[in-house]
Amino acid sequence: MAKIAYLLLCHKDPDAVIAQARRLTSQGDFISIHFDRRAHAADFARIRSELQDNPNVAFARERLRCGWGAWSLVAATLAALEAAVEDFPRATHFYLLSGDCMPIKSAAYCHAFLDSAPVDYIEGHDFFESDWIKTGFKEERLIYRHPFNERTQKRLFYLTYEAQKRLGVTRTVPADLRVMIGSQWWCLRRSTVEALLAFCRARRDVMRFFRTTWIPDETFFQTLVRHLVPKAEIRNRTPTFLVFSDYGMPVTFYNDHFDLLLGQEYLFARKISSDAMELKKRLGEVYAEDRTEFAMTGEGRRVHAYLTERGRVGRRFAPRFWERDASLGAGRELMILICKKWHVAKRLAARIQAEAGIPAVGYLFNEVEEGFPDLGGIETTLTKRHRHRRALLRLLMDHFDTDRLVICVDPSDLALIEDFAADRCETRILELECGFSDAYLRGHAARMGLAAPDASDETFARLAPTLRADIAFEHQAIREAGLAAVGQLREGMPPEAWSDAVAKFLAIDAETAGRVLEIPYLFSD
């Protein structure tokens, strides 16, 4: 009978990870866990402590800092795979899962399904000839080197890309490989996995190639499996049910999707909402059942497409999710930088993203920035952003595949700040208190339309006291609002105080906070 070693890639919610490990191993299978190194160390320590007495649980020997679209996701998968191969010699299959996945069939069904045919389940389509990539980069993913992460190091990512493009510096795909592309989620037999790991050790040229390929988790395993395994022994499909919206965002499943999910011809589903506790409980009970018969219709994607189209023509049979759930959700962290000088907050936000790996955006409720991701239309105007503020942040977190987000807010937006502070998510606030020279206030008055840039000294002298008082009043109102978790970073403070404030704000260690603050010009105009 099949014995499955599940490979779990996760970065949050230690309670869910512990529950998943216990659920999957309770039926005699195994699990190898890679917990993102960017996550809190205390969360990982708790997972290890809770699972240390379970012989069917292993951990990747190396924890990596993972980033969307980066090689680190493949490296983390390989680390979990190597640990599983070494620790679980009885495992016949290796099944890749994320922390958002849940079984939609019983363990008995999964074992019977895998025993029914000696094949691997992994999606793969010809990279160049198929239309699997709908928009954006295609051959650019392969022919150029991408040493930087597009999400966290956007400027360097596009700078190196443009430089290679301008200079005509390209590379060729390893001659003996036909690059394939498909879903990240797969289930492979032990013989395939052992051959794949041996290939990785022998072909350093291939490893170097994929290490600087953009989004390699969609091409690495898909290419190598078809290089190593006869076509007849591969089923060109993922064993995990997932649906993508027209905007390339994974659809999230909630409590009322139970019957829909059980009817799909898959073993697991992704991604399940962290708030769908009833759905998780019911699916966990199904997994423990002995039954191997399920009535399957396989209509999930068609139903989603149908309901989506009804929304487009104004005929909706259920409320939008921002009407249904007015919260960012428990377990998520929103960190708000408050500063009157927008360039100062943006500098710090950029450093946070680069050094701490936490996605950060600028004054999204004050200015329509260029390069903002397409989130289905609610991001197009400031009016829409304010109206659907929580929906906007939820979509941003899903876009960045994170539960932690940094945003910048002007101190005049006290109502917005109070609204987010009252959310069920964990909200932390850091005030950046700047000095305001006469030159800055002149520019500020011009931006507000109070005075022309070349206004006389006499005109400016009448405005300056009021401008200073307004700024002081805004900060005072924030302090008197009784908001929890408010820290200050004042211009002129000693560096040690800066580091402590940033470490508490981001919940990171002092060393990382120090790297974030390696910007001597932070408050410069």
Side-chain angles (χ1 to χ4, degrees):
M1 186 180 76
K3 299 283 283 186
I4 308 169
Y6 293 103
L7 315 173
L8 186 65
L9 301 186
C10 46
H11 65 279
K12 61 181 179 180
D13 200 348
D15 289 333
V17 174
I18 293 166
Q20 184 77 304
R22 287 173 175 164
R23 179 186 303 114
L24 298 180
T25 58
S26 68
Q27 304 303 309
D29 290 313
F30 314 99
I31 191 167
S32 177
I33 300 171
H34 179 276
F35 195 68
D36 198 322
R37 194 175 176 186
R38 293 186 186 277
H40 294 170
D43 288 346
F44 181 61
R46 183 160 170 268
I47 293 170
R48 293 208 67 143
S49 174
E50 291 287 336
L51 300 175
Q52 63 181 349
D53 296 328
N54 189 330
N56 287 8
V57 175
F59 292 89
R61 308 296 189 250
E62 180 183 9
R63 286 178 63 208
L64 301 161
R65 296 176 181 271
C66 296
W68 183 89
W71 168 256
S72 52
L73 282 176
V74 175
T77 304
L78 289 172
L81 190 57
E82 288 168 347
V85 169
E86 182 178 341
D87 290 4
F88 308 129
R90 293 191 298 132
T92 61
H93 293 78
F94 298 81
Y95 195 127
L96 182 61
L97 297 171
S98 78
D100 296 320
C101 293
M102 281 291 292
I104 56 175
K105 299 291 184 296
S106 66
Y109 179 94
C110 294
H111 294 147
F113 178 86
L114 294 177
D115 280 335
S116 65
V119 296
D120 299 305
Y121 294 90
I122 182 168
E123 185 181 25
H125 309 278
D126 187 279
F127 186 92
F128 295 100
E129 296 178 5
S130 72
D131 63 347
W132 200 83
I133 299 174
K134 303 298 183 185
T135 61
F137 283 179
K138 187 168 183 176
E139 67 173 5
E140 293 90 345
R141 294 190 187 192
L142 303 180
I143 65 172
Y144 297 117
R145 295 171 176 82
H146 302 282
F148 300 103
N149 188 291
E150 194 269 346
R151 290 280 175 88
T152 60
Q153 301 165 298
K154 187 178 293 288
R155 181 175 174 276
L156 290 172
F157 178 91
Y158 286 105
L159 191 66
T160 54
Y161 162 68
E162 291 294 345
Q164 292 176 83
K165 185 177 178 182
R166 239 182 348 260
L167 296 171
V169 179
T170 60
R171 61 178 181 172
T172 57
V173 176
D176 58 335
L177 294 184
R178 179 189 178 193
V179 179
M180 309 294 286
I181 189 167
S183 170
Q184 175 186 358
W185 313 106
W186 41 255
C187 181
L188 304 177
R189 294 167 297 167
R190 187 177 197 94
S191 58
T192 300
V193 165
E194 289 175 343
L196 189 147
L197 294 176
F199 182 90
C200 292
R201 290 189 291 269
R203 292 292 301 272
R204 308 315 296 177
D205 60 320
V206 173
M207 301 296 280
R208 284 193 299 271
F209 175 81
F210 280 104
R211 193 177 295 274
T212 53
T213 294
W214 192 40
I215 321 183
D217 51 291
E218 294 179 351
T219 54
F220 180 80
F221 294 99
Q222 296 78 357
T223 299
L224 296 196
V225 168
R226 280 160 180 78
H227 181 75
L228 298 167
V229 177
K231 183 178 180 180
E233 297 179 22
I234 299 173
R235 294 291 182 269
N236 191 7
R237 54 162 293 189
T238 172
T240 298
F241 178 66
L242 65 163
V243 179
F244 284 92
S245 71
D246 291 346
Y247 306 106
M249 303 291 293
V251 171
T252 300
F253 299 110
Y254 297 92
N255 291 331
D256 55 351
H257 288 120
F258 175 78
D259 292 326
L260 174 73
L261 292 177
L262 254 60
Q264 305 313 307
E265 298 175 322
Y266 296 85
L267 307 184
F268 281 73
R270 183 183 188 271
K271 60 191 223 173
I272 309 298
S273 169
S274 59
D275 296 326
M277 303 309 295
E278 180 187 347
L279 177 61
K280 290 184 177 183
K281 178 177 179 295
R282 295 179 71 186
L283 290 176
E285 291 170 350
V286 168
Y287 188 71
E289 293 176 356
D290 290 332
R291 65 166 166 156
T292 56
E293 297 295 327
F294 290 83
M296 288 178 283
T297 59
E299 83 293 349
R301 291 189 175 90
R302 291 195 302 273
V303 169
H304 176 267
Y306 173 79
L307 294 178
T308 301
E309 288 176 3
R310 301 287 77 69
R312 286 203 187 99
V313 297
R315 295 171 14 226
R316 291 159 41 197
F317 305 116
R320 299 296 194 204
F321 75 88
W322 55 77
E323 298 165 340
R324 215 174 42 235
D325 185 354
S327 171
L328 294 182
R332 286 183 159 172
E333 298 175 55
L334 178 65
M335 290 150 278
I336 304 175
L337 287 173
I338 301 175
C339 188
K340 198 66 180 179
K341 292 184 177 180
W342 293 5
H343 60 279
V344 174
K346 287 181 179 180
R347 284 173 187 159
L348 185 57
R351 291 292 298 177
I352 289 170
Q353 181 161 299
E355 297 299 331
I358 303 172
V361 293
Y363 287 79
L364 73 167
F365 295 105
N366 301 102
E367 63 177 353
V368 181
E369 298 178 295
E370 293 184 3
F372 204 75
D374 185 342
L375 301 176
I378 69 170
E379 83 289 351
T380 53
T381 67
L382 294 179
T383 300
K384 285 187 177 181
R385 293 185 187 186
H386 277 273
R387 184 186 306 135
H388 307 302
R389 60 188 63 165
R390 284 183 172 80
L392 177 66
L393 295 192
R394 286 172 70 96
L395 286 172
L396 274 174
M397 288 180 176
D398 288 342
H399 174 77
F400 291 121
D401 195 19
T402 183
D403 283 333
R404 311 184 75 205
L405 183 68
V406 175
I407 67 172
C408 302
V409 175
D410 191 279
S412 63
D413 285 341
L414 178 59
L416 184 76
I417 298 165
E418 288 180 313
D419 192 25
F420 284 132
D423 195 275
R424 284 196 297 126
C425 73
E426 181 179 353
T427 304
R428 292 192 294 276
I429 299 168
L430 183 65
E431 264 189 284
L432 303 182
E433 296 185 44
C434 311
F436 297 95
S437 65
D438 285 349
Y440 176 85
L441 289 178
R442 276 184 176 273
H444 182 56
R447 287 188 292 274
M448 294 177 67
L450 295 175
D454 57 349
S456 67
D457 291 343
E458 182 179 353
T459 299
F460 176 73
R462 288 196 298 268
L463 286 173
T466 303
L467 291 171
R468 292 186 189 278
D470 279 348
I471 294 171
F473 175 81
E474 290 170 357
H475 282 278
Q476 187 64 29
I478 290 170
R479 296 190 193 97
E480 292 177 354
L483 302 174
V486 177
Q488 282 84 35
L489 199 67
R490 292 192 302 275
E491 187 173 359
M493 284 174 64
E496 308 79 51
W498 281 13
S499 180
D500 184 57
V502 169
K504 290 179 179 178
F505 172 62
L506 299 174
I508 58 176
D509 56 74
E511 180 181 351
T512 305
R515 291 200 304 271
V516 169
L517 289 167
E518 288 177 357
I519 38 174
Y521 55 89
L522 174 60
F523 288 98
S524 300
D525 290 331

